[in-house]
Amino acid sequence: MISEASALLARTPGTLDAWLRGLPDGWLVAHEGGDTWSPVDIVGHLIHGERTDWMPRVRRILEYGDSLAFEPFDRFAQFRESAGKSLPGLLDEFARLRAASLRELTALHLDDVALDRPGLHPSLGAVTLRQLLATWAAHDLDHVTQIARVMARQYSDEVGPWRAFLRVISGSPG
Amino acid sequence: MISEASALLARTPGTLDAWLRGLPDGWLVAHEGGDTWSPVDIVGHLIHGERTDWMPRVRRILEYGDSLAFEPFDRFAQFRESAGKSLPGLLDEFARLRAASLRELTALHLDDVALDRPGLHPSLGAVTLRQLLATWAAHDLDHVTQIARVMARQYSDEVGPWRAFLRVISGSPG
């Protein structure tokens, strides 16, 4: 399970790089209104997760099990930390941090006993290290869908009647 | 508008390549049950669109306006055409076809008058060339969200209680 999840995690920085680097700014700073996030904000959020969330939580489980809860994750840190940073710099930073995270993860040689170790989430309660790693991978994919949705919805009107066929815009299920 | 849409369209093959090439097969052939599509099926669908849908419809609008409806799009062609093909070969094919489409599109030097030309969709009715191009870009993004969702949902159970926080799995809006 670790090698499968790691294969996905390792590809996210390159995927975002191929997708976003050099795109016209109109796509990169677009959001869904109000305080929703742009693609640049989302890359900043992934960077913050890399610094403070994923491997720090792995370490906490290995060190403390469920006797010490994780630090809560600051979902708005990127608005401070990414301010004034360019997307190319953020993409480079994310790639560097993710590579370091995966080097550390691999070096831990986690076995099934380790993966079943319990941790304590500050709001969700009991979790396991295995669930944390699966969530890390799924969280990447969640934000890939978010980036695609934010950009697609810039064309909500432009697509005209095709809107009905585009689930990413219409939001219709199925 | 064409240069914005083209910038996005040009990046989709490289994005899918960085994301999917070399991933363990478990991710690539996963689907959401029943006759839903795997990432490999989706790449096949994008190839079929490149061959039969996008530029052929551009040409039809330029040649016939709304006096001749588009050919209906076969949403299941990839199950015949991609059968037995490997993902690396499909990624290569998609990149080659997309590059050719964009070369042809650029060479047309479409101006605002051309972009407002009407076309006739077999089920949606009146559309414009401008709407067709916006839909082409949004359609790429729709399938990026689909690939991410299909892969994330392989971990629907594995993420445990985090499921509630992962919109890509839980499907909850907001």
Side-chain angles (χ1 to χ4, degrees):
Chain A
M1 176 266 170
I2 287 193
S3 68
E4 273 195 359
S6 295
L8 205 71
L9 288 164
R11 280 167 175 78
T12 305
T15 304
L16 297 184
D17 203 285
W19 199 12
L20 303 178
R21 190 183 293 261
L23 263 190
D25 276 349
W27 292 117
L28 298 175
V29 301
H31 56 77
E32 297 173 275
D35 58 358
T36 59
W37 297 358
S38 70
V40 172
D41 296 330
I42 294 164
V43 176
H45 167 76
L46 292 170
I47 287 171
H48 187 71
E50 222 56 29
R51 285 195 192 287
T52 69
D53 194 16
W54 304 110
M55 284 308 298
R57 289 180 170 193
V58 170
R59 282 181 227 123
R60 179 151 300 187
I61 289 180
L62 292 174
E63 195 166 353
Y64 295 99
D66 56 3
S67 68
L68 182 62
F70 306 144
E71 299 300 324
F73 187 53
D74 181 351
R75 293 182 60 257
F76 301 96
Q78 66 272 13
F79 295 109
R80 299 187 306 276
E81 296 178 0
S82 305
K85 294 189 184 172
S86 69
L87 180 71
L90 293 172
L91 290 168
D92 291 342
E93 189 176 359
F94 178 49
R96 194 177 62 246
L97 292 168
R98 173 59 58 89
S101 296
L102 293 178
R103 273 195 304 274
E104 183 184 352
L105 180 67
T106 302
L108 290 172
H109 297 294
L110 299 174
D111 59 15
D112 278 341
V113 175
L115 289 173
D116 287 333
R117 272 183 75 86
L120 185 60
H121 187 282
S123 64
L124 294 172
V127 295
T128 66
L129 181 45
R130 191 189 304 274
Q131 290 168 343
L132 175 62
L133 297 180
T135 300
W136 189 2
H139 177 268
D140 274 14
L141 296 170
D142 205 7
H143 287 294
V144 167
T145 69
Q146 185 183 16
I147 292 171
R149 188 181 70 237
V150 169
M151 296 203 291
R153 289 185 176 178
Q154 299 311 302
Y155 277 176
S156 293
D157 295 330
E158 281 75 0
V159 298
W162 267 290
R163 184 186 169 102
F165 289 174
L166 292 162
R167 178 176 173 178
V168 70
I169 290 177
S170 65
S172 64
Chain B
M1 176 266 172
I2 286 193
S3 68
E4 274 196 359
S6 295
L8 204 72
L9 289 165
R11 280 168 175 78
T12 305
T15 304
L16 298 184
D17 202 286
W19 200 12
L20 303 179
R21 189 182 295 260
L23 265 190
D25 275 348
W27 292 116
L28 299 175
V29 301
H31 57 77
E32 297 173 275
D35 58 358
T36 60
W37 298 358
S38 71
V40 173
D41 296 331
I42 294 165
V43 176
H45 168 75
L46 292 170
I47 288 171
H48 187 71
E50 222 55 30
R51 287 196 191 285
T52 68
D53 194 16
W54 304 110
M55 285 307 299
R57 289 179 170 192
V58 169
R59 283 181 226 124
R60 179 153 298 186
I61 290 180
L62 292 174
E63 194 168 353
Y64 295 99
D66 56 4
S67 68
L68 181 62
F70 306 143
E71 301 298 324
F73 186 52
D74 182 350
R75 293 182 60 257
F76 300 96
Q78 66 273 12
F79 295 108
R80 297 188 307 274
E81 295 177 2
S82 305
K85 294 188 184 172
S86 68
L87 180 72
L90 293 172
L91 290 168
D92 290 341
E93 189 176 359
F94 178 49
R96 194 177 64 245
L97 291 168
R98 173 59 59 88
S101 296
L102 293 178
R103 274 196 304 275
E104 183 184 352
L105 180 67
T106 303
L108 289 173
H109 297 294
L110 299 174
D111 59 15
D112 277 342
V113 174
L115 289 173
D116 287 334
R117 273 184 74 87
L120 185 61
H121 187 284
S123 63
L124 295 172
V127 294
T128 66
L129 181 45
R130 192 187 305 273
Q131 290 168 343
L132 175 63
L133 297 180
T135 300
W136 189 2
H139 177 267
D140 275 14
L141 296 170
D142 204 7
H143 287 294
V144 168
T145 69
Q146 184 183 16
I147 291 171
R149 188 181 70 238
V150 169
M151 295 202 293
R153 289 185 176 177
Q154 299 312 300
Y155 277 177
S156 293
D157 294 331
E158 281 75 359
V159 298
W162 267 291
R163 184 187 168 101
F165 290 174
L166 292 163
R167 177 177 174 177
V168 69
I169 290 177
S170 65
S172 65

